[in-house]
Amino acid sequence: MTDVQLIDRLLRTPLGEVLAEARERRDARGPQRLTWSRKVFIPLSRLCADVCHYCTFATTPAQLPAAYLSPDEVLEIARAGQAAGCKEALFTLGDAPERRYGAAREWLARAGFARTIDYVRHCAELVLRETGLLPHVNAGLMDEGDYRALKPFAASCGLMLESASARLCAKGGAHFGSPDKEPALRLGSIAAAGRAAMPMTSGILVGIGETAKERIEALIALRDLHAEGGHLQEVIVQNFAPKPGTKMAAAPESAEADFLRAVAAARIVLPDAVSVQAPPNLNDERLAELIDAGIDDWGGISPVTMDHVNPEAPWPEVARLAAICAARGRPLVERLTAYPRFVQDDAWIDPALRPAVLRLADSEGLAREGDWSPGVATPAPGRAGAVLGARHEGPTAPALHRLLDRAAGGAELAQDEIVALFATRGAAAQAVVVAADALRRETMGDAVTFVVNRNINYTNICTHACSFCAFSKTSSKAGLRDRPYDLDLAEIAGRAREAQARGATEVCLQGGIHPRYTGDTYAAILGAVKDACPSLHVHAFSPLEVSQGARTLGVPVSDYLARLRDLGLGSLPGTAAEILDDEIRARICPDKLSTAEWLAVVGSAHRLGIATTATIMFGHCETPRHWARHLLAVRRLQVETGGFTEFVPLPFVHMEAPMYRRGEARKGPTWRETVLMHAVARIVLHGQIGSMQASWVKLGLGGAATMLGAGVNDLGGVLMNESISRAAGAAHGQDVTVADLAGIAESAGRSLRQRSTLYRDLGAVAEPEARETDFALLV
């Protein structure tokens, strides 16, 4: 279809059909949600070289105390936004005020700046450095060099096209006397942003004298610019609102049908990668109608500053907006000023800016929800009966229930289906959690299990440089926070005896990859424990350690595993898995086993009758697509071998992790992501791996208790002396008591039973003694 034919079709087709087509296009493009950005509005200057006939933002120097806000005034506004939870600092100002006003030129000269855009860059850098808010810059026409200069400090920029009709710049038009509104200049500036790899917002105004045909021509022009640069993240379709005191005060607003047609046309004309936005404060009476017209974003809403461009239109209450969205089956989700596909692509976010972006982002590149991170001392947001932290209302799509039914029947889900489960929000996410817990009840019953064990990390000296690990030390002279150590065999054996004396049925042995360790070293460690405690189950050696041991002896992995089995090895911890996707492994552990090598070691163990656990370490630099690949790899190996006893999600503890301190990782998973990891893993692995474990070391006792409502049936071990998570900065203790674990189970209305490492039932736990922790308060 040619553009002429497209325009004709969009104008002639009945409105109801155009709206339906737009909705269908919107619904097919991705997760069922509507996004918004929590912003603070910084009107850096209200002076402008242009005189648009509908604008009340621009004024004259005589009406202002100064031509520009001072740096202190800018920071005062930004800090108020930071305190209110904002993540975006929206810089709005007129086009090049210095071209028209001597007062602007004089102010800039006194401040040491040649141009307005130079001062904008300075303020953006200041706000980013002092508050961590991500600047979005609306500074009028800019060239490629200007955009490139902003990239280290601004996550995105914006320039409204408004109209592609030069006719509006003629006498009598809305843009007469406004040279910067020449369509060719604005299109050129937007194109320059693409060459500079700057994520960009643009849009059109509806009702300023353009024709219906010209509106669609403007959308087509933006479509073509995006085809060249790939940089448009959203297009705003904004309705003109006449304002008193302007030349267009008496001009009529566009008819609602015309406006809705323009919104729907934007969704149909623009590629799926570009979002369509309509300002909610200018359309408070027809928010549901805009959703039905195909929008997927509401733009920025500020809890602290008004809309300085449309001061007569207050922001909607976010709770009310969320309720309207939920009623349409599209939960309201906060995003950053840069959209997810730009956040997750290093080509678009400057290296200097990336650490600030990652601190605010979740795994999908949307805004991080809440302050909770794994390992923090603050209570988990969820609680019994509201695992996700709140109850969510609204319809859920029939397709979601069909997917959950297929998984409950034991079918393997496709990668995209698993990603879709991780993307659920609101009522849909709640449905996923409920389904997971129903599968837990069906498969494992209501008992909560645990093992009495002790962790013995025999060395923290390691030749590997995993970017997530704060536990390992490179040598005894490293001089890092924790002293390097290497336990001797007598100490290891002594700790095993102590553990057994305290009732442990298992010791878990793991350590760094010490440069002097060989396969014989690991065999000696195993032998020392079995000599000291013949009946104690030894759960030992990661697949990486097994591979290292075999390599140093020059023997096949299967032969070395058989040797360890014959010496008394009971099972292997499925650690060092991290993310079973080589794209991520190349970033976080490039010198570790590849995905195929890890699976091969574990598969060899299974074929020799050695059971293993399976883990995933999530919440750093990976995405839900990588989680899906990991879960499928584990499931498929389990179908083949049946050797996994349990699946253990391990949330990334960020505080002391090298990759976080270098600005290369997020702050661990969010609470929603953590809940969904346990729930989705239960769903994906249903019929193959029965036991789903929560790590109280990473989540805290209250967090682990809440996960019992998301498909979890096991709490792992009491883990006397767990030290890896503590090294990463986790605030939770190095061990818990059986009474503590009983309290967790009790908070969920379930009973606690002790198990062996291989899930033999060892009986119910007697009534626990009085404990210090009140789990009812935690959950």
Side-chain angles (χ1 to χ4, degrees), residues 67-144:
Y68 299 85
L69 294 180
S70 69
D72 286 344
E73 290 171 320
V74 168
L75 274 182
E76 182 180 2
I77 296 170
R79 284 176 173 143
Q82 179 189 25
C86 295
K87 299 174 180 66
E88 172 188 345
L90 169 62
F91 285 87
T92 292
L93 56 153
D95 270 85
E98 69 272 24
R99 288 210 323 264
R100 183 172 183 179
Y101 294 110
R105 293 190 293 273
E106 293 166 6
W107 193 100
L108 289 171
R110 288 195 304 271
F113 299 97
R115 303 178 303 155
T116 295
I117 192 59
D118 300 324
Y119 183 53
V120 171
R121 182 180 185 274
H122 171 77
C123 289
E125 179 181 7
L126 183 67
V127 166
L128 177 67
R129 182 179 68 245
E130 296 297 324
T131 69
L133 299 183
L134 302 179
H136 173 88
V137 174
N138 291 345
L141 295 179
M142 291 187 281
D143 62 25
E144 183 177 341

Side-chain angles (χ1 to χ4, degrees), residues 604-726:
S604 293
H606 294 173
R607 294 180 189 95
L608 289 166
I610 304 172
T612 78
T613 63
T615 63
I616 183 171
M617 194 268 290
F618 65 106
H620 37 90
C621 64
E622 82 297 2
T623 71
R625 190 158 299 280
H626 301 109
W627 300 344
R629 293 170 184 166
H630 184 108
L631 291 174
L632 286 172
V634 169
R635 177 188 170 93
R636 288 165 183 168
L637 182 59
Q638 182 73 344
V639 169
E640 179 186 341
T641 66
F644 288 122
T645 58
E646 64 196 19
F647 188 76
V648 190
L650 300 173
F652 172 59
V653 177
H654 72 282
M655 287 76 87
E656 297 296 331
M659 65 189 299
Y660 177 76
R661 295 173 70 85
R662 293 195 301 264
E664 298 170 355
R666 303 189 300 277
K667 296 167 66 175
T670 65
W671 178 253
R672 184 191 67 87
E673 291 167 346
T674 303
V675 170
L676 285 179
M677 177 57 75
H678 291 79
V680 173
R682 164 66 70 187
I683 291 165
V684 172
L685 300 175
H686 177 62
Q688 300 302 328
I689 299 178
S691 187
M692 191 65 49
Q693 184 182 121
S695 171
W696 60 262
V697 175
K698 312 288 187 181
L699 299 172
L701 297 176
T706 307
M707 292 303 154
L708 293 177
V712 166
N713 64 285
D714 188 76
L715 295 173
V718 292
L719 285 180
M720 312 167 204
N721 306 114
E722 196 283 334
S723 55
I724 294 175
S725 298
R726 293 283 291 182

Side-chain angles (χ1 to χ4, degrees), residues 381-682:
R383 61 192 185 280
V387 175
L388 289 163
R391 284 290 185 186
H392 298 278
E393 304 298 331
T396 55
L400 173 62
H401 293 288
R402 289 195 295 271
L403 190 158
L404 294 172
D405 288 344
R406 285 181 48 238
E412 178 181 295
L413 299 183
Q415 178 179 297
D416 287 347
E417 292 175 319
I418 299 171
V419 172
L421 292 178
F422 282 121
T424 55
R425 307 261 177 166
Q430 191 163 291
V432 170
V433 171
V434 169
D437 210 44
L439 291 179
R440 182 271 308 163
R441 190 176 299 107
E442 171 191 322
T443 305
M444 304 300 293
D446 283 332
V448 177
T449 54
F450 77 104
V451 63
V452 179
N453 63 352
R454 181 174 193 171
N455 253 29
I456 303 177
N457 301 125
Y458 36 76
T459 183
N460 65 350
I461 298 172
C462 187
T463 58
H464 290 254
C466 300
S467 59
F468 56 83
C469 182
F471 170 74
S472 69
K473 304 294 172 278
T474 55
S475 74
S476 60
K477 298 180 180 180
L480 299 176
R481 189 186 66 165
D482 297 325
R483 293 178 61 84
Y485 67 83
D486 183 16
L487 302 182
D488 60 31
L489 295 179
E491 175 68 16
I492 295 170
R495 293 190 183 190
R497 279 191 290 266
E498 289 175 1
Q500 191 167 44
R502 291 175 60 184
T505 61
E506 170 201 308
V507 286
C508 178
L509 305 172
Q510 293 184 96
I513 304 300
H514 196 295
R516 293 196 300 272
Y517 278 25
T518 69
D520 291 333
T521 309
Y522 297 117
I525 291 171
L526 174 60
V529 171
K530 294 303 289 185
D531 287 345
C533 308
S535 63
L536 194 60
H537 184 100
V538 179
H539 182 64
F541 313 134
S542 72
L544 178 60
E545 291 173 291
V546 169
S547 177
Q548 166 81 354
R551 184 187 61 80
T552 59
L553 298 180
V555 300
V557 164
S558 58
D559 290 356
Y560 184 58
L561 280 167
R563 176 185 173 188
L564 294 176
R565 178 198 60 192
D566 294 345
L567 287 171
L569 178 65
S571 56
L572 259 66
T575 50
E578 324 314 353
I579 294 290
L580 293 175
D581 185 280
D582 288 340
E583 175 188 349
I584 297 301
R585 299 181 79 79
R587 297 176 64 178
I588 67 174
C589 52
D591 50 356
K592 266 189 174 178
L593 301 177
S594 68
T595 296
E597 290 168 337
W598 189 93
L599 292 169
V601 172
V602 171
S604 293
H606 294 173
R607 294 180 189 95
L608 289 166
I610 304 172
T612 78
T613 63
T615 63
I616 183 171
M617 194 268 290
F618 65 106
H620 37 90
C621 64
E622 82 297 2
T623 71
R625 190 158 299 280
H626 301 109
W627 300 344
R629 293 170 184 166
H630 184 108
L631 291 174
L632 286 172
V634 169
R635 177 188 170 93
R636 288 165 183 168
L637 182 59
Q638 182 73 344
V639 169
E640 179 186 341
T641 66
F644 288 122
T645 58
E646 64 196 19
F647 188 76
V648 190
L650 300 173
F652 172 59
V653 177
H654 72 282
M655 287 76 87
E656 297 296 331
M659 65 189 299
Y660 177 76
R661 295 173 70 85
R662 293 195 301 264
E664 298 170 355
R666 303 189 300 277
K667 296 167 66 175
T670 65
W671 178 253
R672 184 191 67 87
E673 291 167 346
T674 303
V675 170
L676 285 179
M677 177 57 75
H678 291 79
V680 173
R682 164 66 70 187

